[in-house]
Amino acid sequence: MSAPGPNHGMVSEFQTSGIPFVTSSVVNEVGPTTPISVTFPYVTRWFKVTNTNPTAGSALRIGFTSNGVLANPNRNYYVLSGAQQTDRLELKCQQLFFLSDGSATAGFSLVAG
């Protein structure tokens, strides 16, 4: 009887606190044409995103693939208005993509575990 090794599907791995991860962009770094990607060192247990641009019209697209935020061929993203933040999203993922929603630029702060 050998016990399975730690992996992203092991329940006990996700019942403990996550390893902290924090990053931010420059206020106007995220533009409307080229997605910015953030790759986590480990699969996340949760994450929270803040749109750091104080202008309400500076919306930010958040997605799990580059094509998703580019809407190629489908719109597969979440839109976060300026100066807003998501709830703590309990999602397993290894990478997030950001793109400005419209012509204005945006920025973000990201904390994950």
Side-chain angles (χ1 to χ4, degrees), residues 25-32 36 52-55 58 100 104-108:
S25 71
V26 180
V27 173
N28 296 322
E29 182 178 0
V30 184
I36 302 290
T52 57
N53 194 318
T55 309
S58 298
S100 175
T105 58
F108 65 90

Side-chain angles (χ1 to χ4, degrees), residues 4-74:
N7 64 60
H8 68 278
M10 196 169 180
V11 173
S12 60
E13 291 287 315
F14 284 88
Q15 288 177 332
T16 61
S17 296
I19 297 170
F21 179 91
V22 178
T23 191
S24 293
S25 71
V26 180
V27 173
N28 296 322
E29 182 178 0
V30 184
T33 57
T34 305
I36 302 290
S37 69
V38 174
T39 303
F40 301 107
Y42 303 100
V43 174
T44 63
R45 179 176 176 246
W46 60 270
F47 63 87
K48 186 174 186 175
V49 179
T50 302
N51 185 339
T52 57
N53 194 318
T55 309
S58 298
L60 180 68
R61 294 180 186 180
I62 305 165
F64 300 103
T65 66
S66 179
N67 281 339
V69 294
L70 288 169
N72 180 21
N74 300 313

Side-chain angles (χ1 to χ4, degrees), residues 96-112:
L96 287 176
F97 291 84
F98 300 92
L99 189 72
S100 175
D101 189 48
S103 60
T105 58
F108 65 90
S109 284
L110 169 65
V111 61

